[in-house]
Amino acid sequence: VSRALRVVLLGCGTVGRGFLELLERERPRLIRRHGIDPQVVRILVRRPGLRDGIDPAVVTTSPLDAIDTPADIVLELMGGLHTAGALIRRALVRGQSVVTANKALLATAADELAALASKKGAFLGFEAAVCGGVPIIRTLRDSLAGVSITSLEGVVNGTCNYILTRMERGSSYVEAVQAARECGFAEADPSMDVSGEDAAQKMTILSRLAFDEPIRRVERSGIERVTRADVAATRAGGSVLRQVAVAQRVAGGISVSVGLRSISGTHPLARLDGEENGVIIRGEAIGELVLTGRGAGSLPTASAVLADVIACAGEREGRKAAA
Ligand code: HSE
């Protein structure tokens, strides 16, 4: 027997559409394996109009209409700080479960939102906020809960990796940025990607999970000035240019830095291609652990959203069983 799970979807862009597609593909398995049958009861969109495969009756342009629709889970995939933050808080305050991919919001408000969720007994999932289809959030929070982590080093922005590896194959910077936008990897404002801001937000979120000390400084520089000649010259020397994000312990806390780095061709992050992401986790008991995979794009990111929906349904069930 499967349980219907009412889902409100806030935002129907690259990740939202990917979620709807993946949900339909996976529905038989969700019913069979997890005993849940998610029903999308409302979808908040920015602009009205017909969308392929979406029942117009569930679509709304009113944030209040969407958030006040009775539901078991709210999926916040709209991005932005103000409206998205207000809607998430409104849901959590009434004890409703929330799954979000909002890096910008979590980078600044994760502690507050997590405290609110815990006070209200609500599930707050954000696997999709960092590294798309790479399960880095759960790995740090759950699988490595018993490890003292000493540093994180990663390629955590798919757009920059896509741009740099495309330039290795001869594209110009401008062509590569345009292609990353067309593939749905780039942020609505791609300067978030190329400036290092997106990677800094993600490393901030990861650091909060990995370390038990406060973040003391965040430094970032962009890749905007890189040329094909730079890329080719670095390769000729046996290295590659990558946007690398690092979080490590310094006196009094954690330092996060993001920038364009030349890394050896044999470095674990050097072989990441296109939108792939990778994180090297270093810890006392584990030495070095490397997670790699598709870090951006519709379906990989949607897979992280769906995993959180399933985890949320499991927790709700556990709570019911315990009650
Ligand atoms: N713009 C982001 C990236 C999307 O390129 O990594 C995934 O967070």
Side-chain angles (χ1 to χ4, degrees), residues 130-163:
V130 183
C131 292
V134 180
I136 183 72
I137 299 288
R138 258 192 202 89
T139 300
L140 288 175
R141 201 195 50 202
D142 300 336
S143 313
L144 299 179
V147 174
S148 290
I149 293 171
T150 49
S151 74
L152 301 173
E153 178 184 3
V155 164
V156 295
N157 181 272
T159 298
C160 286
N161 206 65
Y162 181 88
I163 291 169

Side-chain angles (χ1 to χ4, degrees), residues 52 110 131 142 275 312 316:
D52 277 354
C131 292
D142 300 336
E275 75 278 21
C312 173
R316 287 167 54 88

Side-chain angles (χ1 to χ4, degrees), residues 111-249:
D111 287 338
E112 173 224 323
L113 295 176
L116 181 57
S118 136
K119 183 169 155 209
K120 298 290 177 177
F123 176 95
L124 176 64
F126 51 96
E127 185 66 68
V130 183
C131 292
V134 180
I136 183 72
I137 299 288
R138 258 192 202 89
T139 300
L140 288 175
R141 201 195 50 202
D142 300 336
S143 313
L144 299 179
V147 174
S148 290
I149 293 171
T150 49
S151 74
L152 301 173
E153 178 184 3
V155 164
V156 295
N157 181 272
T159 298
C160 286
N161 206 65
Y162 181 88
I163 291 169
L164 293 167
T165 53
R166 240 184 123 101
M167 289 176 77
E168 288 170 358
R169 298 190 181 107
S171 293
S172 71
Y173 176 79
V174 172
E175 286 163 356
V177 172
Q178 185 53 29
R181 298 187 77 169
E182 283 163 13
C183 292
F185 302 147
E187 294 301 295
D189 171 8
S191 72
M192 292 295 287
D193 297 291
V194 296
S195 67
E197 179 66 28
D198 178 87
Q201 288 170 352
K202 289 168 175 163
M203 227 4 145
T204 300
I205 295 170
L206 296 184
S207 297
R208 185 179 160 273
L209 294 171
F211 305 108
D212 47 9
E213 288 179 88
I215 297 173
R216 289 294 173 207
R217 56 170 187 263
V218 179
E219 289 166 349
R220 63 173 172 84
S221 57
I223 66 158
E224 301 96 326
R225 276 198 249 281
V226 70
T227 65
R228 257 183 297 201
D230 299 332
V231 169
T234 309
R235 279 200 79 158
S239 296
V240 292
L241 287 177
R242 293 288 180 265
Q243 187 210 47
V244 178
V246 175
Q248 59 197 347
R249 293 180 193 273

Side-chain angles (χ1 to χ4, degrees), residues 22 45 75 86 94 107-108 116 144 154 175 196 298:
L22 190 65
V45 298
L75 305 189
R94 58 190 182 211
T108 53
L116 181 57
L144 299 179
E175 286 163 356
S298 182

Side-chain angles (χ1 to χ4, degrees), residues 16-31:
R17 282 195 305 270
F19 174 77
L20 293 173
E21 182 185 336
L22 190 65
L23 179 58
E24 289 323 311
R25 280 196 206 176
E26 297 292 326
R27 186 181 300 284
R29 199 179 54 85
L30 295 183
I31 293 172

